[in-house]
Amino acid sequence: MITGRPSERVPRYPACTMGRAADMLGTTPGILRAIGDARLITPLRSEGGHRRYSRYQLRIAARARTLVDRGTPVEAACRIVILEDQLEEARRVNAEHHRAAREPHTGKAA
């Protein structure tokens, strides 16, 4: 049996309101709106039109907020976070290719 709220079990479950998300990040709703406007994250909307953020989105927003707190403009901070994620993915794929190249081939020639 699975217990706990979905937001505790599923990192991408949109459970946090904008106010709660801003409190958790130690920032303002305006920063969250700006990060959304820059398309770094796209919060889901409740039936009433209110933004709802997942824990996953909050982790991404926190990275951008750290850069903004250091003086980086919001749009630049969002671009940096996107580029960091792309670099991490490229490194992961590269490492997989290197591992595959080192493994002996077990296929038989016809």
Side-chain angles (χ1 to χ4, degrees):
M1 172 191 232
I2 298 175
T3 60
R5 296 180 303 206
S7 62
E8 295 170 346
R9 297 188 313 260
V10 182
R12 294 179 191 252
Y13 183 82
C16 293
T17 63
M18 178 177 279
R20 177 72 179 126
D23 287 344
M24 290 172 69
L25 296 177
T27 192
T28 64
I31 291 292
L32 289 173
R33 280 189 209 96
I35 290 170
D37 290 345
R39 291 187 166 85
L40 179 62
I41 58 175
T42 304
L44 291 179
R45 299 279 185 151
S46 68
E47 288 183 18
H50 299 282
R51 291 172 179 90
R52 295 285 188 258
Y53 298 88
S54 68
R55 289 185 298 152
Y56 173 76
Q57 289 174 322
L58 294 181
R59 284 194 300 271
I60 293 170
R63 291 169 53 200
R65 192 218 68 187
T66 298
L67 293 167
V68 169
D69 287 351
R70 293 179 183 161
T72 305
V74 172
E75 288 196 13
C78 292
R79 185 69 182 139
I80 289 167
V81 170
I82 289 167
L83 290 170
E84 287 173 344
D85 285 352
Q86 290 173 344
L87 178 59
E88 182 180 329
E89 176 65 11
R91 286 178 173 162
R92 185 192 62 76
V93 168
N94 194 29
E96 286 177 11
H97 287 293
H98 282 287
R99 272 193 298 279
R102 285 192 306 262
E103 293 176 2
H105 296 286
T106 58
K108 294 180 182 180

